[in-house]
Amino acid sequence: MIPSPIPEIVIVTGASSGIGAATARELARRGFHVLAGVRRDRDADALRGPGIEPLILDITHPEHIRALAARVQGDPQGRAVRALVNNAGVPVNVPVEVFPIDEWRRLFEVNLFGHVAVTQALLPALVRGKGRVINISSVGGRVAMATYGPYAGTKFALEAVSDALRREIAPSGVQVVVVEPGAVRTEMLGRAATTAQQLASTLTPEQGQRYGGLVQAIAAQTASATEWGVPAETAAQVIARAVTARKPRTRYTVGRDAALVTFMARILPDRMLDCVVAATLRPYFPKQSRSAH
């Protein structure tokens, strides 16, 4: 009887809920040993199961990243690392003018610099295992819609880093893949809508005149997406495909909306794309302000 092979390791950050948790479960179901980064003990207890080993991981804390690298390096079974799924992230829908600069820095720490730090720490193991880096971007990494400036800025940057890294480490046998979800029904969508509603109450009168209707429209559109967006399990299946495909594509989209928006971004001039995006958002504006948009 041939012994079953030792399962390879996959690291998934931001696995407390949503896409990350669904991805951890999907990869464990496919036979991988998943090191699932979570923020709290109760998240770890909820996720722990066959093939899933939760670890407390805040990707902005260097000591957490060092502990993760040590866990991988000292794996008791000497398992190879198949993939790092950089999934952790914070959603924000705020006009560029009103988002405090310190909050810009904090957002980039989580949505970009943390991913770079984890990738740097794990690249030696990924090179040894001929593994791959899966960066979870967003349709916002291809098109920056109104109030998505801060969030899209982090995702555009993540896409650029991914392109550079892919070209740098391809000779070492490590592949880099970007996954671009559109609307996915997760807690992140709900948090984004709540943040937008909270923001509306903090605008100055002048800012309220400029952005009040826009912020309300974005909140309404985001709330709508919780109904028609794809489930987290759909995103997890795409990510699992990126992990397991013999020759993965450099980019995958998740959901029809992401596929459509990225296609339009490739073929439409900027001004025409502006008009399409504005027309899509217009039905969500408060009635009294629709005429101005």
Side-chain angles (χ1 to χ4, degrees):
M1 182 177 179
I2 300 174
S4 59
I6 298 174
E8 294 175 295
I9 289 174
V10 177
I11 300 99
V12 180
T13 69
S16 291
S17 63
I19 291 175
T23 298
R25 294 188 177 103
E26 178 65 22
L27 290 169
R29 187 184 66 80
R30 294 187 184 214
F32 293 99
H33 183 79
V34 181
L35 301 180
V38 298
R39 295 288 300 276
R40 297 162 297 196
D41 289 334
R42 68 173 179 266
D43 298 329
D45 293 338
L47 188 60
R48 186 177 288 107
I52 301 178
E53 178 185 339
L55 300 172
I56 299 299
L57 176 64
D58 182 332
I59 64 171
T60 66
H61 289 188
E63 64 273 19
H64 287 191
I65 296 173
R66 285 193 293 268
L68 171 63
R71 166 64 186 83
V72 170
Q73 175 69 23
D75 183 69
Q77 298 186 44
R79 289 172 285 206
V81 178
R82 176 58 175 267
L84 163 63
V85 181
N86 284 314
N87 170 73
V90 178
V92 171
N93 293 118
V94 185
V96 170
E97 178 187 353
V98 302
F99 197 47
I101 194 64
D102 286 344
E103 292 299 314
W104 279 85
R105 294 189 177 102
R106 188 184 73 84
L107 188 67
F108 270 80
E109 283 291 341
V110 177
N111 288 5
L112 178 65
F113 303 143
H115 297 317
V116 173
V118 173
T119 302
Q120 288 176 334
L122 295 181
L123 263 178
L126 287 161
V127 170
R128 287 193 299 271
K130 303 295 183 185
R132 56 192 63 171
V133 178
I134 315 294
N135 285 331
I136 310 305
S137 179
S138 165
V139 66
R142 303 294 290 276
V143 178
M145 292 173 280
T147 78
Y148 283 80
Y151 180 77
T154 66
K155 295 302 186 180
F156 267 71
L158 183 62
E159 299 249 356
V161 169
S162 300
D163 285 341
L165 184 66
R166 184 181 70 248
R167 292 158 184 155
E168 291 165 359
I169 62 177
S172 299
V174 177
Q175 301 185 71
V176 179
V177 180
V178 173
V179 177
E180 299 164 338
V184 180
R185 298 197 301 270
T186 66
E187 293 178 9
M188 180 176 281
L189 271 181
R191 289 197 297 268
T194 300
T195 300
Q197 291 168 345
Q198 291 172 342
L199 171 69
S201 64
T202 65
L203 300 176
T204 66
E206 183 179 356
Q207 291 170 343
Q209 187 173 8
R210 268 198 292 278
Y211 308 119
L214 172 63
V215 169
Q216 291 181 55
I218 290 293
Q221 186 184 52
T222 302
S224 173
T226 63
E227 300 177 3
W228 55 260
V230 300
E233 289 73 19
T234 298
Q237 290 167 8
V238 175
I239 294 167
R241 195 179 314 145
V243 169
T244 58
R246 190 171 67 87
K247 291 185 177 180
R249 297 176 355 215
T250 58
R251 281 174 169 80
Y252 292 84
T253 57
V254 179
R256 293 182 187 176
D257 58 327
L260 178 60
V261 169
T262 54
F263 173 73
M264 289 192 300
R266 287 197 300 268
I267 66 170
L268 295 182
D270 288 347
R271 297 294 186 190
M272 188 174 295
L273 184 58
D274 289 350
C275 291
V276 171
V277 170
T280 302
L281 185 59
R282 192 173 296 119
Y284 296 97
F285 274 85
K287 290 182 180 180
Q288 64 271 22
S289 62
R290 285 183 190 174
S291 57
H293 294 274

